[in-house]
């Protein structure tokens, strides 16, 4: 498969987790890897050390191009409960370029398959949520046919997270879950998005494990959104 053109699940110092990288550091890494577009999606405030609401408000004034790389500014908002409540208010989310909604163990305890599925689907109903992040975590089992159906209904992308699939991943062996997502999306001819989930510049643009799994699933390249920045922006605009 070809090299991807963008990565929009990345984190800076604003996410905590010990990273000291600035947005400019991330743009340098993106340029060095030949990416045309980079998205910054720092953790919401419910994550320990995550960005404060004032940080996300300030992103509206951030440069749209850095070091020749087109920039998008979003957030990885935390899903707080089974009703899909997020840790950032809609008056903040509406001014971001995109919103990833994810479940993180320090924020929300694992529930049953029904509860976890309900949480993801409820989050998809938020009009500003564009992507569901790493819903492959084995600690949060879900009904994947229901999740994929809901993603199509609410015009939300499901992410194949490289960090989950890497040997250093901490979400368990997620390959089966990710293959479920890939096969269902291939069945319905619905696109997926690949993401590094890089905390700092070290892994910006690295989706090698996700690409390997997509190849194993025989997913057509046209169903991987990362090969066209134009198609990504069209999807987000809708």
């Amino acid at each position: 498969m070809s090299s991807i053109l963008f990565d929009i699940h990345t984190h800076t110092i604003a996410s905590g987790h010990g990273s000291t990288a600035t947005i400019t550091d991330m743009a340098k890494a993106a340029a060095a890897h030949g990416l045309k577009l980079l998205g910054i999606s720092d953790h919401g405030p419910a994550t320990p050390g995550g960005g404060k609401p004032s940080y996300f408000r300030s992103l509206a004034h951030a440069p749209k191009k850095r070091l020749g790389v087109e920039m998008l500014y979003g957030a990885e908002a935390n899903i707080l409960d089974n009703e899909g409540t997020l840790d950032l208010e809609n008056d903040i989310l509406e001014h971001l370029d995109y919103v990833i909604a994810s479940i993180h163990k320090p924020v929300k305890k694992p529930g049953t398959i029904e509860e976890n599925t309900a949480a993801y689907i409820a989050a998809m109903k938020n009009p500003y949520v564009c992507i569901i992040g790493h819903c492959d975590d084995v600690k949060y089992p879900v009904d994947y046919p229901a999740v994929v159906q809901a993603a199509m209904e609410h015009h939300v992308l499901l992410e194949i997270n490289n960090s989950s699939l890497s040997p250093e991943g901490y979400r368990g062996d997620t390959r089966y879950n990710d293959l479920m997502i890939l096969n269902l999306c291939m069945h319905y001819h619905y696109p997926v998005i690949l993401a590094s989930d890089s905390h700092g510049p070290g892994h910006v643009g690295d989706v090698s494990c996700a690409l390997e799994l997509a190849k194993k699933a025989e997913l057509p390249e046209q169903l991987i959104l990362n090969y066209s920045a134009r198609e990504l922006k069209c999807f987000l605009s809708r």
Side-chain angles (χ1 to χ4, degrees), residues 99-135:
V99 177
I100 302 170
S102 304
I103 294 177
H104 295 99
K105 194 173 183 181
V107 177
K108 184 182 184 304
K109 293 180 180 179
T112 63
I113 290 178
E114 292 75 18
E115 289 169 337
N116 299 329
T117 301
Y120 280 124
I121 292 175
M124 291 182 201
K125 295 177 182 178
N126 184 302
Y128 303 110
V129 170
C130 313
I131 300 165
I132 293 295
H134 50 71
C135 63

Side-chain angles (χ1 to χ4, degrees), residues 11-13 19-32 38 40 66-67 71 200-202 204:
H11 298 272
T12 72
I13 189 173
S19 172
T20 59
T22 64
I23 294 176
T24 299
D25 293 332
M26 303 296 279
K28 285 179 182 177
L38 174 68
I40 302 295
R66 294 176 188 256
L67 305 169
M71 301 295 299
V204 169

